[in-house]
Amino acid sequence: LALGMRIKARVANQDMLGTVQFLGTTDFAEGDWVGVELEEAQGKNDGMVKDRRYFTCQAQHGLFVRPASCFLEEKQRKSVEAQEENDEAA
């Protein structure tokens, strides 16, 4: 995962499309988190949690999930696979 990647974030067996805006640790819970700006207003925040801003997006478009709940969006996955093949051939 990297900032700017388009992903599907899976929450409660529902996939939501968005863009990675934050990667790292937070003040609200231990461990690594992925901050996602969702395409639709299905989120829980605007990139701010407990008075700390991690990224900026529209209200209800922000969501934090664990890295294991993130899957590359199909076009992004193909792009990454093609880049890996190019790297291996070099």
Side-chain angles (χ1 to χ4, degrees):
L1 290 175
L3 295 177
M5 279 188 159
R6 289 187 34 81
I7 63 164
K8 286 187 224 177
R10 185 164 293 152
V11 178
N13 293 322
Q14 181 180 2
D15 289 342
M16 296 178 255
L17 292 174
T19 303
V20 175
Q21 297 293 348
F22 173 87
L23 293 168
T25 59
T26 66
D27 292 337
F28 61 81
E30 291 186 22
D32 291 327
W33 290 89
V34 180
V36 182
E37 180 178 2
L38 300 171
E39 291 182 359
E40 297 182 18
Q42 299 173 302
K44 296 183 176 185
N45 57 60
D46 64 354
M48 182 184 291
V49 178
K50 294 187 177 181
D51 297 323
R52 175 145 184 229
R53 173 122 351 246
Y54 295 94
F55 63 96
T56 302
C57 66
Q58 294 179 350
Q60 297 182 329
H61 282 73
L63 183 70
F64 284 87
V65 295
R66 297 289 188 177
S69 296
C70 298
F71 304 90
L72 293 181
E73 192 265 337
E74 186 66 21
K75 288 180 185 176
Q76 184 75 55
R77 185 183 59 76
K78 287 181 179 180
S79 175
V80 168
E81 287 173 354
Q83 183 62 45
E84 288 173 351
E85 287 177 11
N86 287 340
D87 290 348
E88 288 174 6

